[in-house]
Short mmCIF file of all heavy atoms in Angstrom, two decimals:
data_model
loop_
_atom_site.label_atom_id
_atom_site.label_comp_id
_atom_site.label_asym_id
_atom_site.label_seq_id
_atom_site.Cartn_x
_atom_site.Cartn_y
_atom_site.Cartn_z
N MET A 155 -9.02 -11.98 7.18
CA MET A 155 -8.64 -10.66 7.10
C MET A 155 -7.13 -10.63 6.62
O MET A 155 -6.38 -11.46 6.96
CB MET A 155 -8.70 -9.89 8.42
CG MET A 155 -10.12 -9.79 8.93
SD MET A 155 -11.08 -8.53 7.96
CE MET A 155 -10.58 -6.98 8.77
N THR A 156 -6.83 -9.53 5.84
CA THR A 156 -5.45 -9.27 5.40
C THR A 156 -5.00 -8.03 6.15
O THR A 156 -5.65 -6.90 6.08
CB THR A 156 -5.47 -9.04 3.89
OG1 THR A 156 -5.88 -10.25 3.32
CG2 THR A 156 -4.01 -8.74 3.50
N HIS A 157 -3.83 -8.13 6.69
CA HIS A 157 -3.14 -6.99 7.32
C HIS A 157 -2.18 -6.26 6.32
O HIS A 157 -1.33 -7.02 5.70
CB HIS A 157 -2.40 -7.30 8.66
CG HIS A 157 -1.86 -6.16 9.36
ND1 HIS A 157 -2.71 -5.30 10.14
CD2 HIS A 157 -0.59 -5.75 9.48
CE1 HIS A 157 -1.91 -4.43 10.60
NE2 HIS A 157 -0.64 -4.65 10.20
N ILE A 158 -2.20 -5.03 6.27
CA ILE A 158 -1.38 -4.27 5.34
C ILE A 158 -0.32 -3.50 6.07
O ILE A 158 -0.77 -2.73 7.04
CB ILE A 158 -2.27 -3.31 4.43
CG1 ILE A 158 -3.37 -4.05 3.77
CG2 ILE A 158 -1.38 -2.58 3.41
CD1 ILE A 158 -4.51 -3.16 3.28
N SER A 159 0.83 -3.52 5.71
CA SER A 159 1.86 -2.61 6.18
C SER A 159 2.73 -1.97 5.12
O SER A 159 3.01 -2.74 4.14
CB SER A 159 2.63 -3.32 7.34
OG SER A 159 3.38 -4.41 6.89
N VAL A 160 3.43 -0.91 5.34
CA VAL A 160 4.21 -0.29 4.47
C VAL A 160 5.43 0.06 5.27
O VAL A 160 5.50 0.58 6.26
CB VAL A 160 3.70 1.05 3.83
CG1 VAL A 160 4.74 1.77 3.02
CG2 VAL A 160 2.53 0.75 2.98
N ASP A 161 6.63 -0.48 4.68
CA ASP A 161 7.92 -0.20 5.33
C ASP A 161 8.35 1.24 5.00
O ASP A 161 8.75 1.40 3.76
CB ASP A 161 8.83 -1.29 4.83
CG ASP A 161 10.24 -1.19 5.46
OD1 ASP A 161 10.50 -0.14 6.08
OD2 ASP A 161 11.02 -2.27 5.42
N PRO A 162 8.48 2.05 5.91
CA PRO A 162 8.89 3.39 5.54
C PRO A 162 10.26 3.48 5.12
O PRO A 162 10.75 4.54 4.41
CB PRO A 162 8.65 4.20 6.87
CG PRO A 162 8.63 3.12 7.90
CD PRO A 162 8.05 1.84 7.40
N ASP A 163 11.08 2.51 5.48
CA ASP A 163 12.53 2.53 5.04
C ASP A 163 12.63 2.19 3.54
O ASP A 163 13.61 2.47 2.87
CB ASP A 163 13.35 1.66 5.77
CG ASP A 163 13.46 2.21 7.27
OD1 ASP A 163 13.47 3.44 7.49
OD2 ASP A 163 13.59 1.25 8.18
N ARG A 164 11.69 1.41 3.02
CA ARG A 164 11.68 0.98 1.58
C ARG A 164 10.91 1.89 0.78
O ARG A 164 11.19 2.12 -0.54
CB ARG A 164 11.20 -0.34 1.43
CG ARG A 164 11.95 -1.43 2.16
CD ARG A 164 11.47 -2.86 1.92
NE ARG A 164 11.86 -3.23 0.54
CZ ARG A 164 12.71 -4.27 0.32
NH1 ARG A 164 13.23 -4.85 1.27
NH2 ARG A 164 13.02 -4.56 -0.89
N CYS A 165 9.80 2.56 1.22
CA CYS A 165 8.96 3.44 0.25
C CYS A 165 9.66 4.68 -0.02
O CYS A 165 10.25 5.42 0.81
CB CYS A 165 7.62 3.72 1.07
SG CYS A 165 6.69 5.04 0.22
N VAL A 166 9.81 4.94 -1.36
CA VAL A 166 10.49 6.18 -1.85
C VAL A 166 9.53 7.07 -2.56
O VAL A 166 9.91 8.12 -3.15
CB VAL A 166 11.70 5.79 -2.68
CG1 VAL A 166 12.73 5.01 -2.08
CG2 VAL A 166 11.28 5.07 -3.98
N GLY A 167 8.28 6.75 -2.57
CA GLY A 167 7.34 7.69 -3.05
C GLY A 167 6.91 7.40 -4.50
O GLY A 167 6.41 8.45 -5.20
N HIS A 168 6.99 6.17 -5.07
CA HIS A 168 6.61 6.01 -6.45
C HIS A 168 5.06 6.32 -6.64
O HIS A 168 4.77 6.76 -7.81
CB HIS A 168 6.82 4.57 -6.83
CG HIS A 168 8.24 4.24 -7.05
ND1 HIS A 168 9.16 4.72 -7.96
CD2 HIS A 168 9.13 3.36 -6.32
CE1 HIS A 168 10.34 4.21 -7.88
NE2 HIS A 168 10.31 3.42 -6.91
N GLY A 169 4.32 6.09 -5.67
CA GLY A 169 2.87 6.50 -5.76
C GLY A 169 2.03 5.50 -6.53
O GLY A 169 0.75 5.78 -6.70
N ARG A 170 2.46 4.42 -6.96
CA ARG A 170 1.63 3.52 -7.68
C ARG A 170 0.44 2.99 -6.75
O ARG A 170 -0.59 2.74 -7.20
CB ARG A 170 2.45 2.39 -8.30
CG ARG A 170 3.42 2.85 -9.26
CD ARG A 170 4.06 1.60 -9.97
NE ARG A 170 5.17 2.15 -10.88
CZ ARG A 170 5.93 1.26 -11.51
NH1 ARG A 170 5.86 -0.06 -11.45
NH2 ARG A 170 6.95 1.74 -12.28
N CYS A 171 0.94 2.73 -5.54
CA CYS A 171 -0.05 2.12 -4.59
C CYS A 171 -1.37 2.84 -4.44
O CYS A 171 -2.44 2.55 -4.56
CB CYS A 171 0.57 1.81 -3.22
SG CYS A 171 1.36 3.23 -2.47
N TYR A 172 -1.15 4.21 -4.08
CA TYR A 172 -2.30 5.06 -3.88
C TYR A 172 -3.00 5.59 -5.16
O TYR A 172 -4.04 5.98 -5.18
CB TYR A 172 -1.97 6.26 -2.92
CG TYR A 172 -0.87 7.04 -3.16
CD1 TYR A 172 -0.84 8.13 -4.19
CD2 TYR A 172 0.40 6.94 -2.30
CE1 TYR A 172 0.41 8.75 -4.37
CE2 TYR A 172 1.45 7.70 -2.53
CZ TYR A 172 1.45 8.65 -3.57
OH TYR A 172 2.53 9.48 -3.71
N SER A 173 -2.27 5.45 -6.41
CA SER A 173 -2.89 5.76 -7.65
C SER A 173 -3.73 4.59 -8.01
O SER A 173 -4.90 4.78 -8.47
CB SER A 173 -1.75 5.89 -8.66
OG SER A 173 -1.16 7.00 -8.45
N LEU A 174 -3.35 3.41 -7.77
CA LEU A 174 -4.12 2.13 -8.13
C LEU A 174 -5.23 1.76 -7.15
O LEU A 174 -6.20 1.26 -7.53
CB LEU A 174 -3.10 0.98 -8.39
CG LEU A 174 -2.23 1.11 -9.65
CD1 LEU A 174 -1.06 0.08 -9.54
CD2 LEU A 174 -3.01 0.96 -10.93
N ALA A 175 -4.96 2.09 -5.98
CA ALA A 175 -5.87 1.68 -4.84
C ALA A 175 -6.00 2.80 -3.78
O ALA A 175 -5.62 2.73 -2.64
CB ALA A 175 -5.28 0.40 -4.09
N PRO A 176 -6.56 3.83 -4.17
CA PRO A 176 -6.86 5.05 -3.35
C PRO A 176 -7.68 4.79 -2.14
O PRO A 176 -7.76 5.61 -1.12
CB PRO A 176 -7.31 6.17 -4.37
CG PRO A 176 -7.98 5.44 -5.36
CD PRO A 176 -7.17 4.09 -5.57
N ASP A 177 -8.55 3.67 -2.22
CA ASP A 177 -9.28 3.36 -1.01
C ASP A 177 -8.45 2.76 0.08
O ASP A 177 -8.92 2.75 1.26
CB ASP A 177 -10.40 2.40 -1.46
CG ASP A 177 -9.96 1.22 -2.25
OD1 ASP A 177 -8.84 1.26 -2.92
OD2 ASP A 177 -10.52 0.12 -2.07
N ILE A 178 -7.35 2.32 -0.35
CA ILE A 178 -6.43 1.62 0.68
C ILE A 178 -5.27 2.41 1.10
O ILE A 178 -4.98 2.46 2.42
CB ILE A 178 -5.99 0.20 0.14
CG1 ILE A 178 -7.05 -0.68 -0.49
CG2 ILE A 178 -5.19 -0.50 1.14
CD1 ILE A 178 -7.96 -1.08 0.56
N PHE A 179 -4.72 3.06 0.05
CA PHE A 179 -3.45 3.84 0.45
C PHE A 179 -3.69 5.30 0.13
O PHE A 179 -4.43 5.75 -0.64
CB PHE A 179 -2.31 3.34 -0.51
CG PHE A 179 -2.00 1.87 -0.35
CD1 PHE A 179 -2.58 1.00 -1.29
CD2 PHE A 179 -1.22 1.40 0.76
CE1 PHE A 179 -2.38 -0.40 -1.18
CE2 PHE A 179 -1.09 -0.02 0.75
CZ PHE A 179 -1.57 -0.87 -0.11
N ASP A 180 -2.90 6.15 0.87
CA ASP A 180 -2.95 7.58 0.87
C ASP A 180 -1.53 8.05 0.84
O ASP A 180 -0.58 7.29 1.03
CB ASP A 180 -3.72 8.30 1.97
CG ASP A 180 -4.19 9.66 1.66
OD1 ASP A 180 -3.85 10.12 0.52
OD2 ASP A 180 -4.83 10.23 2.51
N ALA A 181 -1.33 9.31 0.46
CA ALA A 181 0.08 9.90 0.43
C ALA A 181 0.33 10.79 1.57
O ALA A 181 -0.69 11.61 1.85
CB ALA A 181 0.33 10.62 -0.90
N ASP A 182 1.46 10.85 2.16
CA ASP A 182 1.66 11.93 3.16
C ASP A 182 2.32 13.12 2.45
O ASP A 182 2.23 13.21 1.16
CB ASP A 182 2.67 11.28 4.14
CG ASP A 182 4.06 11.08 3.71
OD1 ASP A 182 4.40 11.52 2.63
OD2 ASP A 182 4.84 10.53 4.36
N ASP A 183 2.77 14.04 2.98
CA ASP A 183 3.20 15.46 2.52
C ASP A 183 4.29 15.19 1.60
O ASP A 183 4.59 16.05 0.66
CB ASP A 183 3.59 16.35 3.66
CG ASP A 183 2.34 16.88 4.37
OD1 ASP A 183 1.15 16.60 3.87
OD2 ASP A 183 2.54 17.49 5.48
N LEU A 184 5.11 14.15 1.81
CA LEU A 184 6.27 13.84 0.91
C LEU A 184 5.96 12.87 -0.17
O LEU A 184 6.91 12.55 -0.97
CB LEU A 184 7.41 13.42 1.74
CG LEU A 184 7.88 14.31 2.79
CD1 LEU A 184 8.93 13.66 3.67
CD2 LEU A 184 8.48 15.61 2.17
N GLY A 185 4.72 12.44 -0.29
CA GLY A 185 4.28 11.45 -1.36
C GLY A 185 4.53 10.00 -1.01
O GLY A 185 4.49 9.10 -1.82
N HIS A 186 4.92 9.84 0.22
CA HIS A 186 5.11 8.43 0.72
C HIS A 186 3.80 7.90 1.12
O HIS A 186 2.88 8.56 1.44
CB HIS A 186 6.12 8.39 2.00
CG HIS A 186 7.57 8.72 1.49
ND1 HIS A 186 8.51 9.10 2.49
CD2 HIS A 186 8.09 9.03 0.30
CE1 HIS A 186 9.62 9.33 1.88
NE2 HIS A 186 9.38 9.28 0.64
N SER A 187 3.66 6.45 1.04
CA SER A 187 2.54 5.80 1.23
C SER A 187 2.02 5.76 2.69
O SER A 187 2.89 5.58 3.60
CB SER A 187 2.53 4.36 0.74
OG SER A 187 1.35 3.80 0.93
N VAL A 188 0.76 5.96 2.93
CA VAL A 188 0.15 5.83 4.19
C VAL A 188 -1.02 4.79 4.14
O VAL A 188 -1.79 4.96 3.20
CB VAL A 188 -0.37 7.19 4.82
CG1 VAL A 188 -1.08 7.00 6.09
CG2 VAL A 188 0.69 8.24 4.96
N VAL A 189 -1.13 3.81 4.96
CA VAL A 189 -2.23 2.93 4.91
C VAL A 189 -3.42 3.57 5.52
O VAL A 189 -3.35 3.92 6.78
CB VAL A 189 -1.84 1.65 5.60
CG1 VAL A 189 -2.90 0.55 5.49
CG2 VAL A 189 -0.46 0.92 5.04
N ARG A 190 -4.46 3.54 4.76
CA ARG A 190 -5.81 4.17 5.27
C ARG A 190 -6.49 3.21 6.17
O ARG A 190 -7.18 3.53 7.14
CB ARG A 190 -6.65 4.59 4.13
CG ARG A 190 -6.03 5.76 3.15
CD ARG A 190 -6.63 5.72 1.85
NE ARG A 190 -8.07 6.24 2.03
CZ ARG A 190 -8.49 7.44 1.95
NH1 ARG A 190 -7.53 8.49 1.58
NH2 ARG A 190 -9.69 7.83 2.10
N ILE A 191 -6.49 1.94 5.68
CA ILE A 191 -7.28 0.88 6.39
C ILE A 191 -6.20 -0.34 6.53
O ILE A 191 -5.79 -0.92 5.56
CB ILE A 191 -8.45 0.35 5.59
CG1 ILE A 191 -9.22 1.51 5.09
CG2 ILE A 191 -9.21 -0.63 6.54
CD1 ILE A 191 -10.28 1.05 4.12
N GLU A 192 -5.80 -0.65 7.80
CA GLU A 192 -4.80 -1.72 7.88
C GLU A 192 -5.30 -3.10 7.85
O GLU A 192 -4.49 -4.01 7.60
CB GLU A 192 -4.14 -1.42 9.29
CG GLU A 192 -3.40 -0.12 9.31
CD GLU A 192 -2.39 -0.01 10.62
OE1 GLU A 192 -2.74 -0.63 11.54
OE2 GLU A 192 -1.52 0.88 10.54
N ASP A 193 -6.58 -3.32 8.11
CA ASP A 193 -7.09 -4.69 8.08
C ASP A 193 -8.27 -4.82 7.17
O ASP A 193 -9.30 -4.06 7.38
CB ASP A 193 -7.54 -5.14 9.51
CG ASP A 193 -6.25 -5.27 10.41
OD1 ASP A 193 -5.46 -6.22 10.16
OD2 ASP A 193 -6.04 -4.47 11.26
N VAL A 194 -8.22 -5.45 6.09
CA VAL A 194 -9.19 -5.59 5.04
C VAL A 194 -9.59 -6.97 4.70
O VAL A 194 -8.80 -7.90 4.94
CB VAL A 194 -8.70 -4.85 3.71
CG1 VAL A 194 -8.48 -3.33 4.09
CG2 VAL A 194 -7.40 -5.38 3.28
N ALA A 195 -10.58 -7.10 3.98
CA ALA A 195 -11.18 -8.39 3.40
C ALA A 195 -11.83 -8.16 2.06
O ALA A 195 -12.11 -7.03 1.68
CB ALA A 195 -12.15 -9.05 4.43
N GLY A 196 -12.11 -9.28 1.36
CA GLY A 196 -12.87 -9.19 0.19
C GLY A 196 -12.23 -8.31 -0.94
O GLY A 196 -11.03 -8.34 -1.22
N GLU A 197 -13.09 -7.36 -1.41
CA GLU A 197 -12.68 -6.60 -2.61
C GLU A 197 -11.48 -5.60 -2.15
O GLU A 197 -10.60 -5.32 -2.88
CB GLU A 197 -13.80 -5.70 -3.08
CG GLU A 197 -13.51 -4.97 -4.31
CD GLU A 197 -14.86 -4.31 -4.94
OE1 GLU A 197 -15.96 -4.65 -4.65
OE2 GLU A 197 -14.57 -3.35 -5.67
N SER A 198 -11.71 -5.12 -0.89
CA SER A 198 -10.55 -4.30 -0.46
C SER A 198 -9.20 -4.97 -0.30
O SER A 198 -8.13 -4.42 -0.62
CB SER A 198 -10.98 -3.76 0.96
OG SER A 198 -12.06 -2.80 0.79
N ALA A 199 -9.25 -6.25 0.06
CA ALA A 199 -7.99 -6.99 0.09
C ALA A 199 -7.48 -7.22 -1.42
O ALA A 199 -6.21 -7.14 -1.53
CB ALA A 199 -8.25 -8.42 0.73
N GLN A 200 -8.28 -7.32 -2.37
CA GLN A 200 -7.78 -7.43 -3.77
C GLN A 200 -7.14 -6.07 -4.22
O GLN A 200 -6.16 -6.07 -4.81
CB GLN A 200 -9.02 -7.68 -4.69
CG GLN A 200 -9.43 -9.19 -4.60
CD GLN A 200 -8.39 -10.18 -4.89
OE1 GLN A 200 -7.67 -10.01 -5.84
NE2 GLN A 200 -8.16 -11.16 -4.16
N HIS A 201 -7.75 -5.00 -3.70
CA HIS A 201 -7.20 -3.69 -4.07
C HIS A 201 -5.82 -3.59 -3.41
O HIS A 201 -4.85 -3.02 -4.01
CB HIS A 201 -8.11 -2.46 -3.57
CG HIS A 201 -9.37 -2.49 -4.27
ND1 HIS A 201 -10.36 -1.60 -3.91
CD2 HIS A 201 -9.74 -3.12 -5.38
CE1 HIS A 201 -11.41 -1.72 -4.76
NE2 HIS A 201 -11.07 -2.66 -5.62
N ALA A 202 -5.71 -3.99 -2.11
CA ALA A 202 -4.43 -3.96 -1.51
C ALA A 202 -3.33 -4.76 -2.12
O ALA A 202 -2.23 -4.35 -2.26
CB ALA A 202 -4.64 -4.37 0.01
N LEU A 203 -3.82 -5.94 -2.73
CA LEU A 203 -2.87 -6.81 -3.49
C LEU A 203 -2.38 -6.09 -4.66
O LEU A 203 -1.13 -6.22 -5.04
CB LEU A 203 -3.56 -8.11 -3.79
CG LEU A 203 -2.69 -9.15 -4.52
CD1 LEU A 203 -1.49 -9.53 -3.73
CD2 LEU A 203 -3.63 -10.27 -4.83
N VAL A 204 -3.17 -5.48 -5.40
CA VAL A 204 -2.78 -4.76 -6.65
C VAL A 204 -1.78 -3.65 -6.27
O VAL A 204 -0.76 -3.41 -6.94
CB VAL A 204 -4.05 -4.00 -7.38
CG1 VAL A 204 -3.60 -3.04 -8.37
CG2 VAL A 204 -4.98 -5.06 -7.88
N GLY A 205 -1.94 -2.91 -5.23
CA GLY A 205 -1.01 -1.93 -4.76
C GLY A 205 0.31 -2.54 -4.43
O GLY A 205 1.35 -2.11 -4.79
N ALA A 206 0.21 -3.54 -3.72
CA ALA A 206 1.46 -4.30 -3.22
C ALA A 206 2.29 -4.89 -4.44
O ALA A 206 3.47 -4.71 -4.55
CB ALA A 206 1.19 -5.40 -2.19
N GLN A 207 1.57 -5.47 -5.38
CA GLN A 207 2.23 -6.02 -6.61
C GLN A 207 2.83 -4.96 -7.56
O GLN A 207 3.77 -5.24 -8.22
CB GLN A 207 1.18 -6.96 -7.33
CG GLN A 207 0.85 -8.26 -6.62
CD GLN A 207 -0.20 -8.99 -7.31
OE1 GLN A 207 -1.04 -8.45 -8.04
NE2 GLN A 207 -0.13 -10.24 -7.08
N ASN A 208 2.38 -3.72 -7.41
CA ASN A 208 2.88 -2.77 -8.26
C ASN A 208 3.80 -1.82 -7.65
O ASN A 208 4.28 -0.72 -8.20
CB ASN A 208 1.76 -1.95 -8.80
CG ASN A 208 1.00 -2.73 -9.94
OD1 ASN A 208 1.45 -2.62 -11.09
ND2 ASN A 208 -0.12 -3.42 -9.55
N CYS A 209 4.22 -2.06 -6.38
CA CYS A 209 5.28 -1.24 -5.72
C CYS A 209 6.69 -1.74 -6.25
O CYS A 209 6.98 -2.86 -5.93
CB CYS A 209 5.20 -1.35 -4.24
SG CYS A 209 6.54 -0.34 -3.55
N PRO A 210 7.43 -0.97 -6.93
CA PRO A 210 8.71 -1.32 -7.46
C PRO A 210 9.64 -1.61 -6.25
O PRO A 210 10.73 -2.38 -6.49
CB PRO A 210 9.19 -0.19 -8.24
CG PRO A 210 8.02 0.70 -8.52
CD PRO A 210 7.07 0.40 -7.38
N GLU A 211 9.55 -1.00 -5.09
CA GLU A 211 10.35 -1.20 -4.05
C GLU A 211 10.05 -2.40 -3.09
O GLU A 211 10.76 -2.72 -2.15
CB GLU A 211 10.38 0.03 -3.16
CG GLU A 211 10.73 1.29 -3.93
CD GLU A 211 12.11 1.28 -4.69
OE1 GLU A 211 13.02 0.66 -4.18
OE2 GLU A 211 12.25 1.87 -5.82
N GLU A 212 8.94 -2.99 -3.40
CA GLU A 212 8.29 -4.03 -2.46
C GLU A 212 8.32 -3.60 -1.07
O GLU A 212 8.57 -4.25 -0.17
CB GLU A 212 9.16 -5.33 -2.61
CG GLU A 212 9.30 -5.97 -4.20
CD GLU A 212 10.06 -7.24 -4.29
OE1 GLU A 212 10.67 -7.60 -3.17
OE2 GLU A 212 10.07 -7.79 -5.32
N ALA A 213 7.71 -2.43 -0.98
CA ALA A 213 7.59 -1.90 0.41
C ALA A 213 6.33 -2.30 1.15
O ALA A 213 6.24 -2.00 2.43
CB ALA A 213 7.56 -0.39 0.31
N ILE A 214 5.38 -2.89 0.41
CA ILE A 214 4.18 -3.13 0.95
C ILE A 214 4.09 -4.62 1.34
O ILE A 214 4.22 -5.59 0.40
CB ILE A 214 3.00 -2.89 0.05
CG1 ILE A 214 3.02 -1.28 -0.34
CG2 ILE A 214 1.68 -3.14 0.61
CD1 ILE A 214 2.08 -0.87 -1.44
N THR A 215 3.72 -5.05 2.64
CA THR A 215 3.59 -6.44 2.99
C THR A 215 2.22 -6.66 3.44
O THR A 215 1.55 -5.86 4.09
CB THR A 215 4.56 -6.59 4.25
OG1 THR A 215 5.86 -6.32 3.90
CG2 THR A 215 4.29 -8.01 4.67
N LEU A 216 1.65 -7.75 2.83
CA LEU A 216 0.31 -8.30 3.22
C LEU A 216 0.48 -9.59 3.93
O LEU A 216 1.20 -10.46 3.61
CB LEU A 216 -0.48 -8.45 1.95
CG LEU A 216 -0.66 -7.36 0.98
CD1 LEU A 216 -1.46 -7.81 -0.14
CD2 LEU A 216 -1.23 -6.08 1.65
N THR A 217 -0.15 -9.66 5.18
CA THR A 217 -0.22 -10.79 6.04
C THR A 217 -1.68 -11.17 6.26
O THR A 217 -2.46 -10.34 6.46
CB THR A 217 0.60 -10.70 7.27
OG1 THR A 217 0.23 -9.49 7.96
CG2 THR A 217 2.11 -10.45 6.91
N SER A 218 -1.91 -12.42 6.35
CA SER A 218 -3.25 -12.92 6.69
C SER A 218 -3.08 -14.04 7.70
O SER A 218 -2.08 -14.56 8.11
CB SER A 218 -3.91 -13.48 5.32
OG SER A 218 -3.22 -14.35 4.78
FE1 F3S B 152 5.78 3.88 -1.72
FE2 F3S B 152 5.72 1.79 -3.31
FE3 F3S B 152 3.62 3.16 -2.84
S1 F3S B 152 7.52 3.14 -3.10
S2 F3S B 152 4.29 5.30 -2.56
S3 F3S B 152 4.73 2.08 -1.31
S4 F3S B 152 4.09 2.36 -4.89
#
């Protein structure tokens, strides 16, 4: 399993994470990222990785 977390102090709302992986990430009212599913595996973990790799602020952390 891969655990996903978003650092609210780093996220500024670029929105790439929830645009690229809407099954994993959502937006709050200000456009900041909210993790929909915190623990994922398989294809969902790949989607989470795409979101993390495309965040310019490096706000998304994946741990396994
Ligand atoms: Fe925030 Fe990065 Fe997503 S800045 S909205 S976590 S692309």
